[in-house]
Amino acid sequence: MATLTAGKWTMDPSHSEAMFSVRHAGISRVRGTFEEFTGSATFTEDVNGSVIEADVQAASINTRNDGRDEHLRGEDFFDAENHPVLKFESLEVTNFDGEEFQLKGNLTMRGVTKEVTFKGDFGGQTVDPFGLTRAGFEAETEISRKEFGLTWNAALEAGGVMVSDKVRITLDVSFTKDEE
């Protein structure tokens, strides 16, 4: 069982990824990332009382297709001009057993806030070659994009729609412990 040192931690965006995937045309998945985000955590001794917050810049979306990315930044989807930040604020961490946990919190997109629950894995804690104490986590959840006002779609000639409602969000993050 891995341990996690209590205290204030800062997400390291150069060693972290915020990813998503959504079914496209009912037959395949489109994947993307957000390139700009920040986060912090205050981990408690038993971890269950920990507080995690993150801000993601909506305009930093990257699906490796410029036209699609512009459409996603626009009013049909994220409306990044009017809602530039996607925000996560934890409500509770539960069931931490040293390896797995659940992270419940409020996710805000397009001005709509909904409660989500991530299922996560704790990768462990170590001191890197530069003397920084690091902790790694992976977490995943699935949301309904329509619940956040992302309702654009197009009907397909063969039936079905262009973009599924369900979006899988996957986080692979590294935190460094703040100097006390």
Side-chain angles (χ1 to χ4, degrees):
M1 178 190 310
T3 59
L4 179 61
T5 303
K8 293 188 182 296
W9 294 69
T10 301
M11 189 184 301
D12 176 2
S14 66
H15 292 98
S16 301
E17 286 188 282
M19 302 163 283
F20 67 91
S21 68
V22 61
R23 190 146 311 273
H24 176 260
I27 60 169
S28 64
R29 285 199 167 272
V30 168
R31 291 170 171 74
T33 60
F34 289 94
E35 304 293 324
E36 297 175 27
F37 51 89
T38 58
S40 64
T42 301
F43 294 119
T44 57
E45 289 293 332
D46 72 355
V47 181
N48 291 327
S50 299
V51 176
I52 298 101
E53 298 179 338
D55 288 340
V56 175
Q57 299 303 311
S60 73
I61 195 165
N62 181 354
T63 65
R64 299 177 324 194
N65 180 301
D66 292 340
R68 179 172 49 222
D69 293 346
E70 281 304 312
H71 189 201
L72 291 169
R73 289 181 191 109
E75 290 179 17
D76 285 340
F77 287 94
F78 290 106
D79 193 10
E81 186 175 321
N82 294 306
H83 303 283
V85 177
L86 288 69
K87 182 177 266 318
F88 178 82
E89 296 172 295
S90 69
L91 296 171
E92 66 178 349
V93 178
T94 58
N95 303 320
F96 182 74
D97 65 4
E99 294 178 9
E100 296 180 344
F101 61 93
Q102 288 188 351
L103 172 61
K104 186 183 297 183
N106 286 324
L107 177 62
T108 302
M109 284 192 287
R110 283 187 66 112
V112 176
T113 302
K114 296 285 182 185
E115 190 175 289
V116 300
T117 301
F118 285 89
K119 182 176 187 244
D121 293 308
F122 175 47
Q125 177 178 311
T126 191
V127 176
D128 72 16
F130 304 101
L132 296 173
T133 301
R134 291 187 173 277
F137 303 87
E138 293 180 40
E140 187 171 277
T141 193
E142 189 171 88
I143 64 166
S144 161
R145 65 186 181 88
K146 292 177 184 174
E147 289 182 359
F148 292 92
L150 284 80
T151 58
W152 182 90
N153 225 326
L156 299 173
E157 187 176 308
V161 292
M162 180 69 74
V163 183
S164 71
D165 177 46
K166 298 295 181 192
V167 179
R168 186 178 303 150
I169 300 171
T170 305
L171 307 174
D172 191 349
V173 295
S174 177
F175 284 87
T176 57
K177 185 154 185 346
D178 294 355
E179 302 271 337
E180 301 282 327

